Amino acid sequence: MSNIPLPLPATAPCPACTAAGPAEPAGRFGATHALILLIAVLGLGSALFLAGTPLRTVFALLGGLGAIGAATLAAAGGGRRLLTAFAETLARSVTGGRP
């Protein structure tokens, strides 16, 4: 006899789908991911500054990382939400925040 586990039946949900809960499906970018990225960017910027990197270079590097991340999210998610948020931010900055 072998102890090979049997596959789950096709009607049962996968464990990864039920672990995330109903509020946030597995594989979606959520608030926790944003917080982790924010802490990583702040930590990287602080470490670069403490290592003696000029602020202009630190901001350029972190801006480039942000642009790469935004492009990746836009490519993965179709880009509609990101493009909508960008257009709304652009419109608010042009009008001075007035609707």
Side-chain angles (χ1 to χ4, degrees):
M1 289 242 140
S2 66
N3 291 331
I4 299 174
L6 297 174
L8 294 173
T11 57
C14 67
C17 297
T18 57
E24 185 177 330
R28 302 298 304 267
F29 184 79
T32 304
H33 299 103
L35 179 64
I36 291 170
L37 287 175
L38 176 68
I39 291 171
V41 166
L42 291 175
L44 178 63
S46 298
L48 286 171
F49 178 72
L50 291 175
T53 308
L55 275 179
R56 173 179 272 168
T57 306
V58 172
F59 290 142
L61 288 171
L62 294 180
L65 289 175
I68 291 170
T72 303
L73 284 175
R80 289 189 188 127
R81 278 190 293 164
L82 184 64
L83 189 58
T84 303
F86 177 70
E88 182 179 335
T89 304
L90 180 64
R92 286 186 183 196
S93 67
V94 169
T95 61
R98 288 172 272 145

